[in-house]
């Protein structure tokens, strides 16, 4: 799967990452505000929920990282891992006790665009070398892993931004 | 600017060497994705570069500079606009239908966000309607692709062209794909989202949406019909597209005659002009007889240049006049020709090209299309093409009439030189192409279809 996504059809994957980036910007356009990280959870969490999320969130982070890590040899991958990581972040946010407020707007938008910029850099470098998006055998693994990790980070941050942004625009009304 | 230089380089290379093909990642189709610049792609890239550059210059004068941090409309406009621009270029050069799906998604997602940019209820509603409609038709388009892939195990257009030979599932695939693309192109009756979206967006955004974004769906439609299904699967299919196109042409023009705001008139005009563009399908693929793909592709190229430059120019003019009078109701246009003559000249040039007066790009495009129609013995489409000129003239004159009238004395603001010169430049494109159409016709005819796998193609 990783070979299909990041080698044979790398151009598709690159553009899909950009579509997600465009979706993040679309949500921010509708929200029209930079403080999406400061919105509070819809309601006070049940104490049991908070305790449960305390147990669950670290597990989810491990599962997310595992999904990305094992994709070098079997099914899994950046998109699935990122979805789990974003889900963990949202659970923590919903349980109310620690929202990711430390993540500033500019930093989060930079992280959301990191995968696009990585793809762009790879495309420019390989094009300059004469064969666009073709990685040399000796660096192929390193390039693919680097791209996969940035895609994970960007997609996870993007999904969280989209969810919180949607919440922020309701709060406004 | 880099895009413009790259487009110019691509045009020069295609003129010198013919169609260019590059297999991304060194994986040739069907495994990987091949990009290809043929004559039509080169024309589209050049149009996008010229319109894109001028609209960008206009936008510098239109949006205030964004603050260093935080969210701002201008801070969102520039990245979204550049993403849309990149998505358009990718759509114009890819040969892979699934890749086309992704590029169209990118263009649509960016366009939806751009429509919502001012943040008013009207704009967000228009954007949401655009988005939901696009979502449904993306599914239809993807369904059509799944049928194609299931039957022929490839998404590469040149390979599909060799493998597709009629059949029920292919007919269904063609209908799904055409239906999905019809909405992205705003072909009647799937145009319902367009007037409000294009009419309420900021003017530079409207110019991009009407001038360029519509062409993405159009070009894929043309490629699918002329390249993948040149025998039309069933003869009646392409003629039905033609009938729908004529209805679009008349309905759009009729609504344009009934609107009271300049941008809404221009937006409905796009619905009408999309009908004209889509006549390329029945003209190029008559069904039953030998397809006229070469001439039809050249006509498509010229029509895209003509409509892209003229429509972008008109929307920029509408934006500048909106700034002048504080609104874009037709009565507020009074005295514009005297106050801002540059805008009036730009409007006249763009209007002439849209109508298709002799010595304009619109005229060249329509003549090529009529010519291709008579080559395949379809004289009736020439009538429809002439009809466009008449109905277009009516609504263009409806806009021009208040502009040349004496000012009513309502207060006006001065219009900055950037906002005046940009639409004039785009209007001039239509005239320049109309005066020297030869090289562009020649360029649009290079490569054509199906022959990419053959020798003479530079890889």
């Amino acid at each position: 799967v990783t070979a299909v996504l990041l080698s044979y059809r790398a151009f598709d994957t690159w553009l899909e990452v950009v579509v997600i980036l465009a979706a993040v910007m679309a949500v921010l356009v509708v929200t029209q505000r930079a403080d999406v990280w400061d919105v509070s959870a819809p309601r006070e969490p049940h104490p049991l929920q908070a305790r449960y999320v305390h147990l669950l969130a670290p597990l989810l982070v491990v599962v997310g990282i595992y999904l990305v890590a094992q994709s070098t040899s079997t099914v899994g991958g950046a998109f699935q891992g990122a979805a789990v990581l974003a889900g963990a972040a949202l659970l923590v946010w919903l349980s109310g006790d620690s929202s990711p407020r430390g993540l500033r707007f500019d930093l989060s938008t930079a992280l959301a665009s990191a995968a696009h910029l990585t793809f762009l850099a790879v495309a420019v470098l390989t094009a300059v070398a004469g064969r666009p998006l073709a990685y040399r055998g000796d660096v192929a693994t390193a390039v693919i892993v680097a791209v996969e990790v940035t895609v994970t980070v960007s997609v996870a941050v993007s999904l969280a931004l989209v969810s919180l942004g949607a919440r922020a625009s309701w709060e406004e009304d | 600017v880099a895009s413009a230089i790259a487009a110019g380089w691509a045009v020069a290379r295609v003129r010198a060497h013919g169609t260019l093909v590059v297999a991304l990642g060194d994986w040739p189709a069907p495994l990987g994705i091949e990009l290809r610049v043929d004559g039509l792609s080169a024309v589209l890239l050049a149009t996008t570069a010229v319109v894109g550059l001028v609209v960008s210059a206009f936008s510098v004068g239109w949006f205030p500079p964004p603050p260093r941090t935080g969210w701002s409309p201008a801070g969102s406009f520039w990245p979204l606009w550049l993403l849309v621009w990149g998505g358009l270029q990718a759509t114009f050069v890819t040969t892979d239908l699934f890749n086309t799906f992704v590029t169209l998604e990118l263009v649509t997602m960016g366009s939806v966000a751009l429509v919502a940019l001012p943040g008013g209820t009207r704009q967000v509603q228009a954007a949401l309607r655009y988005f939901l409609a696009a979502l449904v038709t993306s599914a239809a388009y993807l369904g059509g692709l799944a049928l194609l892939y299931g039957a022929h195990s490839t998404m590469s257009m040149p390979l599909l062209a060799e493998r597709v030979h009629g059949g029920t599932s292919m007919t269904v695939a063609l209908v799904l794909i055409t239906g999905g693309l019809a909405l992205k192109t705003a072909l009647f009756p799937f145009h319902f989202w367009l007037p409000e979206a294009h009419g309420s967006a900021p003017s530079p955004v409207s110019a991009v949406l009407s001038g360029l974004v519509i062409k993405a769906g159009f070009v894929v439609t043309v490629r699918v019909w002329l390249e993948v299904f040149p025998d039309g699967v069933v003869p009646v299919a392409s003629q039905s597209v033609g009938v729908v196109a004529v209805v679009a042409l008349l309905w759009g023009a009729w609504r344009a005659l009934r609107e009271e705001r300049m941008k809404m008139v221009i937006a409905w005009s796009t619905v009408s002009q999309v009908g004209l563009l889509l006549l390329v399908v029945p003209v190029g693929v008559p069904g039953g007889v030998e397809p006229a793909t070469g001439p039809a592709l050249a006509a498509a190229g010229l029509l895209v240049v003509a409509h892209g430059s003229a429509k972008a120019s008109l929307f920029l003019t509408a934006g500048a006049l909106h700034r002048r009078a504080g609104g874009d109701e037709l009565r507020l246009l009074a005295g514009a020709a005297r106050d801002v003559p540059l805008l009036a000249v730009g409007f006249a040039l763009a209007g002439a090209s849209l109508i298709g007066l002799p010595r304009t790009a619109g005229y060249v495009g329509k003549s090529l299309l009529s010519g291709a129609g008579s080559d395949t013995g379809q004289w009736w489409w020439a009538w429809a093409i002439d009809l466009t000129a008449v109905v277009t003239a009516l609504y263009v004159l409806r806009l021009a009439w208040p502009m040349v009238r004496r000012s009513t004395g309502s207060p006006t603001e001065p219009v900055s030189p950037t906002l005046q010169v940009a639409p004039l430049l785009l209007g001039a494109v239509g005239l320049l192409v109309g005066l020297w159409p030869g090289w562009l016709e020649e360029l649009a005819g290079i490569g054509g279809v199906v022959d990419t796998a053959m020798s003479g193609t530079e890889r």
Side-chain angles (χ1 to χ4, degrees):
Chain A
V1 173
T2 305
V4 171
L5 287 184
L6 292 178
S7 186
Y8 307 138
R9 313 284 302 189
F11 192 49
D12 275 343
T13 311
W14 178 8
L15 291 173
E16 274 153 16
V17 164
V18 184
V19 171
I20 294 176
L21 182 60
V24 170
M25 282 195 273
V27 169
L28 292 177
V29 161
V30 174
T31 315
Q32 306 242 330
R33 50 194 268 194
D35 58 343
V36 287
W37 292 109
D38 296 336
V39 294
S40 44
R43 58 171 177 269
E44 279 296 303
H46 192 277
L48 206 57
Q49 181 192 344
R51 293 298 293 275
Y52 178 61
V53 168
H54 275 186
L55 292 173
L56 191 63
L59 274 176
L60 283 175
V61 171
V62 172
V63 170
I65 292 172
Y66 174 73
L67 279 175
V68 181
Q70 69 151 5
S71 66
T72 49
S73 53
T74 174
V75 288
F79 287 90
Q80 294 89 326
V84 173
L85 290 176
L90 289 175
L91 273 180
V92 170
W93 172 69
L94 280 170
S95 71
D97 56 354
S98 65
S99 71
R101 271 165 216 208
L103 207 54
R104 278 178 46 240
F105 177 74
D106 294 335
L107 176 63
S108 57
T109 46
L111 285 178
S113 42
H116 170 46
L117 297 176
T118 309
F119 262 120
L120 186 63
V122 171
V124 169
L125 289 176
T126 48
V128 168
R131 300 186 306 156
L133 291 179
Y135 327 125
R136 278 211 327 270
D138 50 339
V139 293
T141 311
V143 171
I144 288 177
V145 168
V147 169
E148 181 126 43
V149 169
T150 36
V151 169
T152 312
V153 172
S154 287
V155 173
V157 172
S158 299
L159 291 176
L161 265 176
V162 166
S163 315
L164 293 186
R167 174 68 200 161
S169 58
W170 294 331
E171 200 178 52
E172 214 170 346
D173 300 338
Chain B
V1 173
S3 285
I5 294 169
W9 181 81
V11 168
R13 285 290 291 266
V14 170
R15 278 174 65 84
H17 304 288
T19 304
L20 312 170
V21 176
V22 55
L24 291 178
D26 270 358
W27 302 110
L31 203 52
I33 299 166
E34 287 188 342
L35 303 187
R36 173 189 63 184
V37 184
D38 61 5
L40 181 60
S41 303
V43 170
L44 291 163
L45 289 176
T47 310
T48 310
V50 171
V51 174
L53 267 184
V54 176
V55 170
S56 297
F58 184 92
S59 306
V60 171
W62 180 270
F63 291 102
R68 290 189 66 82
T69 61
W71 186 89
S72 67
S76 279
F77 169 78
W78 289 104
L80 282 168
W81 158 221
L82 292 176
L83 288 188
V84 169
W85 189 339
L88 287 170
Q89 290 174 324
T91 311
F92 296 153
V93 299
T94 188
T95 60
D96 186 278
L97 281 177
F98 182 78
N99 194 233
T100 305
F101 168 75
V102 183
T103 61
L104 286 175
E105 285 307 287
L106 172 56
V107 170
T108 309
M109 185 51 95
S111 305
V112 166
L114 285 171
V115 169
L117 202 56
T121 311
R122 184 169 168 230
Q123 287 90 358
V124 174
Q125 270 177 356
L128 199 60
R129 186 187 297 180
Y130 182 9
F131 180 64
L132 292 176
L135 213 59
V136 174
T137 50
S138 292
Y141 180 71
L142 204 56
L145 295 192
L147 284 175
L148 277 179
Y149 189 79
H152 302 292
S153 313
T154 181
M155 288 278 87
S156 150
M157 283 191 271
L159 289 177
L160 280 173
E162 294 166 14
R163 299 181 188 176
V164 167
H165 297 288
T168 314
S169 72
M170 288 304 101
T171 312
V172 176
L174 182 62
V175 169
L176 284 174
I177 291 174
T178 309
L181 293 172
L183 189 130
K184 301 224 188 260
T185 323
L187 175 65
F188 183 92
F190 301 116
H191 64 286
F192 54 87
W193 57 271
L194 182 141
E196 199 57 30
H198 288 196
S200 66
S203 288
V205 172
S206 310
V208 171
L209 294 185
S210 257
L212 300 176
V213 167
I214 291 296
K215 309 304 186 297
F218 168 66
V219 166
V220 179
T221 311
V222 166
R223 291 233 188 258
V224 166
W225 277 87
L226 271 65
E227 183 161 353
V228 180
F229 294 99
D231 49 4
V233 185
V234 280
V236 67
S238 70
Q239 297 293 320
S240 328
V241 173
V243 171
V244 171
V246 172
V247 176
L249 206 156
L250 293 174
W251 178 246
W254 168 248
R255 291 296 304 262
L257 284 170
R258 298 178 54 82
E259 287 291 340
E260 283 307 319
R261 291 179 42 232
M262 182 171 181
K263 279 179 71 178
M264 290 305 285
V265 173
I266 306 172
W268 276 106
S269 149
T270 298
V271 173
S272 173
Q273 296 287 321
V274 163
L276 172 67
L277 288 171
L278 259 301
L279 284 179
V280 168
V281 167
V283 164
V285 185
V289 296
E290 190 65 16
T293 42
L297 282 178
L302 263 294
L303 285 173
V304 166
V305 174
H307 183 252
S309 58
K311 191 49 63 75
S313 170
L314 288 179
F315 266 120
L316 295 186
T317 306
L321 289 175
H322 190 122
R323 283 276 160 99
R324 167 181 171 271
D328 69 342
E329 284 82 4
L330 292 186
R331 59 184 169 78
L332 293 176
L333 298 179
R338 194 176 302 251
D339 285 5
V340 274
L342 286 182
L343 281 178
V345 174
F347 175 84
L349 290 175
S353 183
L354 203 63
I355 299 170
L357 296 183
R359 303 264 168 241
T360 63
Y363 179 79
V364 181
K366 286 181 186 179
S367 328
L368 286 176
L369 193 59
S370 297
S374 25
D375 286 350
T376 48
Q378 306 180 84
W379 50 268
W380 52 91
W381 298 129
W383 279 73
I385 293 161
D386 291 343
L387 191 64
T388 340
V390 176
V391 293
T392 310
L394 287 177
Y395 61 73
V396 169
L397 288 176
R398 181 154 181 264
L399 290 176
W401 173 243
M403 287 169 78
V404 296
R405 281 204 333 214
R406 193 182 295 276
S407 168
T408 50
S410 54
T412 55
E413 300 279 328
V415 181
S416 79
T418 319
L419 301 194
Q420 294 194 39
V421 173
L424 179 61
L425 285 176
L426 286 178
V429 169
L431 184 66
L432 290 177
V433 170
L435 288 176
W436 294 282
W439 75 274
L440 206 58
E441 280 180 47
E442 193 187 319
L443 178 64
I446 290 177
V449 281
V450 196
D451 67 342
T452 35
M454 292 152 77
S455 57
T457 297
E458 191 195 344
R459 286 186 178 254

